[in-house]
């Protein structure tokens, strides 16, 4: 809900649509490779677009506490799966923190900033060997 107003003894509520697609592992595993690639490309383009808009608007670095973290990791299958679950748990925690902020705003959502959090986990190709 982004706004409300009194209307003839009642309250009219206005909602902002949020796009969130979260497929289960079973649903994802049943998609053809091309569909997976299309979904991934759209998601990464959205992530980069949100960041680019924030940089252009001058809001990306408005907090010293902002985070840009790129980690090159070496994981086995078990570690990769564990990290994917931890990231999903973190996403759920982000939504919980948003709910707490909305409660603190006591209905005045204009006092809340817009923020974006992006999490990516993927297998990377091995680094290229330096030419001799």
């Amino acid at each position: 809900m982004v706004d409300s107003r009194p209307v003839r003894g009642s309250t009219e509520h206005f909602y902002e649509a949020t796009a969130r697609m979260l497929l289960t592992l079973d649903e994802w595993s049943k998609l053809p490779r091309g569909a997976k690639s299309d979904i991934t490309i759209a998601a990464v383009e959205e992530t980069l677009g949100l960041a680019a808009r924030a940089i252009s608007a001058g809001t990306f670095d408005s907090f010293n506490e902002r985070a840009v973290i790129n980690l090159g990791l070496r994981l086995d299958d078990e570690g990769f799966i564990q990290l994917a679950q931890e990231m999903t748990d973190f996403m759920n925690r982000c939504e919980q923190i948003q709910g707490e902020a909305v409660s603190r705003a006591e209905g005045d959502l204009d006092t809340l900033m817009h923020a974006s959090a992006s999490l990516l986990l993927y297998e990377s190709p091995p680094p290229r060997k330096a030419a001799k």
Side-chain angles (χ1 to χ4, degrees):
M1 188 172 79
V2 295
D3 200 7
S4 64
R5 69 177 181 178
V7 177
R8 295 184 298 271
S10 185
T11 303
E12 183 176 17
H13 300 281
F14 299 89
Y15 296 89
E16 178 180 10
T18 57
R20 179 172 178 227
M21 181 176 70
L22 186 60
L23 299 172
T24 66
L25 288 176
D26 186 52
E27 292 166 335
W28 182 257
S29 69
K30 291 177 182 173
L31 291 176
R33 186 175 204 84
K36 288 179 185 179
S37 291
D38 290 346
I39 291 168
T40 298
I41 289 167
V44 171
E45 285 176 344
E46 179 183 13
T47 298
L48 296 176
L50 290 169
R53 282 184 46 218
I55 291 167
S56 294
T59 60
F60 193 96
D61 292 317
S62 62
F63 278 80
N64 289 329
E65 296 83 1
R66 63 93 170 125
V68 175
I69 301 166
N70 290 300
L71 294 174
L73 303 169
R74 300 292 297 258
L75 300 170
D76 60 3
D77 288 357
E78 182 179 339
F80 189 93
I81 292 166
Q82 180 182 358
L83 188 53
Q85 183 58 54
E86 292 285 339
M87 291 175 74
T88 300
D89 292 346
F90 178 70
M91 179 194 63
N92 292 331
R93 178 66 178 128
C94 290
E95 291 176 332
Q96 180 184 5
I97 290 170
Q98 173 184 247
E100 293 165 1
V102 167
S103 293
R104 287 191 297 274
E106 297 178 345
D108 188 4
L109 299 182
D110 289 337
T111 63
L112 299 177
M113 76 178 79
H114 291 269
S116 297
S118 303
L119 299 172
L120 298 172
L121 175 65
Y122 50 91
E123 182 178 358
S124 298
R128 292 184 180 167
K129 304 279 185 195
K132 294 182 181 182

